[in-house]
Amino acid sequence: MASVRGYLLSWTTLLPLIALVLLALTWGRTLGPVPVALVAIALAGTVLAAVHHAEVVAHRVGEPYGSLVLAVAVTVIEVALIVTMMASGGEKADTLARDTVFAAVMITTNGIVGLSLLVGARRYGETRFHPEGSGAALATVGTLATLSLVLPTFTTSTPGPGFSAPQLAFAAGASLVLYATFVATQTVRHRDFFLPVDHDGETREEEHAEPPSAQKTLVSLVLLLISLVTVVGLAKVESPAIEAGVRAAGLPQSFVGVVIALLILAPETLAAVRAARRDRMQISLNLAYGSAIASIGLTIPVIALASVWLKGPLLLGLGPTHIVLLALTVVVSVLTVVPGRATRLQGGVHLVLLAGFLVLAMNP
């Protein structure tokens, strides 16, 4: 009981509640610089708290369910941010979903993977993982990205890089089917492919500390829901300031999507790096590729549904530069995961690809 009481008084419990009060005080108001800064701090802190509570729930249910819980929680936040900012209108709202989803794919497949490989290989010399599980996840990422972000560039039913209504419905349905199939594969049919391996390449079950009690898990689940709702509201309050900040920095308005993806995926990046430091590279890859799959597989259907009442066109097609980056990322990722082991070199290559994406996002 004392343990639960201490948990209730921790910052991860108090901050979402404080942020909820702040949301109530700022909703529908025009904010000055100081309130905007406070909302930004509360938003970032609430995202961290949400991911913490997702990790507590994940710890209770075990792997690979844990990685799935965290990926879905992060993606719900991402989708909420995209929809609320698109609903508020503003410059380039019609491409916000594309920019954010593509940024999430590049950050997960190059940033999280590259940093995890670099940290893990630096500590252990060589990292090992299941090529079957990681390869299947990568194939799903490549298929989802191509169907949802590349094909709209080449379709001719509607002007611009967008889908017609039937095409969008197909892309949304295919995304849901692929996501559901991947989840079933990861958690039921081939669960062993997504568990960590030792240096002999043998699957080993996770060795966790004592899992949290059912009471603590229930508290975290409630706080996770509160955090998600609060993040949605604070994002709506903060969206004008984010767009204004990007303009003031002289960056393209499409960089707003990169800012959202960086904000949302920062906690998950830390979780993946921690797993790599503990020689659990498979968990790092589960987080990276699982987040990319969830980002596309859940965002596109929600955006397709929201497009019924959102104003303006929905432009999903990537430009030539981003298509080249995506194709290169898929090729390099295949060469990384197929052997089932990697060194610092592969990590460095992925991080250079991420750096190239960021440079071109700031200076197209």
Side-chain angles (χ1 to χ4, degrees), residues 141-235:
V141 172
T143 302
L144 284 170
T146 301
L147 288 177
S148 301
L149 302 177
V150 176
L151 285 183
T153 302
F154 301 99
T155 55
T156 57
S157 296
T158 57
F163 277 140
S164 64
Q167 291 168 342
L168 184 59
F170 167 76
S175 297
L176 282 176
V177 169
L178 283 173
Y179 181 72
T181 304
F182 172 76
V183 170
T185 301
Q186 184 184 32
T187 58
V188 182
R189 299 292 296 179
H190 300 286
R191 178 172 173 267
D192 287 350
F193 291 167
F194 299 90
L195 294 176
V197 299
D198 56 28
H199 281 277
D200 294 325
E202 298 296 326
T203 300
R204 55 184 171 90
E205 288 284 344
E206 283 291 85
E207 297 177 2
H208 284 300
E210 187 69 22
S213 64
Q215 188 176 12
K216 184 180 289 187
T217 303
L218 180 60
V219 170
S220 277
L221 181 59
V222 172
L223 288 170
L224 174 61
L225 297 176
I226 292 174
S227 298
L228 294 177
V229 171
T230 305
V231 165
V232 174
L234 291 179

Side-chain angles (χ1 to χ4, degrees), residues 42-330:
L43 175 60
T46 307
V47 168
L48 290 171
V51 175
H52 165 79
H53 293 300
E55 286 182 323
V56 172
V57 176
H59 191 182
R60 175 76 181 186
V61 300
E63 290 296 340
Y65 305 100
S67 300
L68 180 64
V69 169
L70 186 55
V72 171
V74 168
T75 304
V76 168
I77 298 174
E78 177 190 338
V79 173
L81 285 169
I82 292 173
V83 172
T84 53
M85 294 186 71
M86 289 182 68
S88 66
E91 191 176 355
K92 297 293 185 182
D94 50 354
T95 61
L96 181 63
R98 177 198 67 188
D99 297 335
T100 306
V101 170
F102 181 64
V105 170
M106 295 301 290
I107 291 169
T108 52
T109 58
N110 287 317
I112 296 180
V113 170
L115 190 57
S116 298
L117 290 175
L118 193 64
V119 169
R122 185 175 183 274
R123 187 162 191 176
Y124 299 101
E126 185 180 75
T127 61
R128 288 184 175 269
F129 43 85
H130 280 296
E132 298 90 348
S134 301
L138 177 61
T140 308
V141 172
T143 302
L144 284 170
T146 301
L147 288 177
S148 301
L149 302 177
V150 176
L151 285 183
T153 302
F154 301 99
T155 55
T156 57
S157 296
T158 57
F163 277 140
S164 64
Q167 291 168 342
L168 184 59
F170 167 76
S175 297
L176 282 176
V177 169
L178 283 173
Y179 181 72
T181 304
F182 172 76
V183 170
T185 301
Q186 184 184 32
T187 58
V188 182
R189 299 292 296 179
H190 300 286
R191 178 172 173 267
D192 287 350
F193 291 167
F194 299 90
L195 294 176
V197 299
D198 56 28
H199 281 277
D200 294 325
E202 298 296 326
T203 300
R204 55 184 171 90
E205 288 284 344
E206 283 291 85
E207 297 177 2
H208 284 300
E210 187 69 22
S213 64
Q215 188 176 12
K216 184 180 289 187
T217 303
L218 180 60
V219 170
S220 277
L221 181 59
V222 172
L223 288 170
L224 174 61
L225 297 176
I226 292 174
S227 298
L228 294 177
V229 171
T230 305
V231 165
V232 174
L234 291 179
K236 175 71 173 177
V237 172
E238 190 76 0
S239 58
I242 293 176
E243 294 176 349
V246 168
R247 283 195 301 270
L251 299 173
Q253 201 63 24
S254 59
F255 198 74
V256 171
V258 180
V259 172
I260 294 174
L262 286 171
L263 172 67
I264 296 304
L265 292 171
E268 191 147 15
T269 302
L270 295 177
V273 170
R274 286 200 301 267
R277 286 178 59 83
R278 295 195 296 268
D279 200 19
R280 299 160 64 220
M281 184 54 60
Q282 185 63 56
I283 304 305
S284 300
L285 296 181
N286 290 350
L287 286 167
Y289 293 137
S291 293
I293 293 170
S295 179
I296 307 174
L298 298 180
T299 301
I300 297 302
V302 172
I303 295 301
L305 185 61
S307 66
V308 174
W309 53 267
L310 288 175
K311 297 179 181 179
L314 177 61
L315 305 181
L316 293 174
L318 298 172
T321 302
H322 286 166
I323 291 176
V324 170
L325 282 174
L326 177 62
L328 182 57
T329 294
V330 171

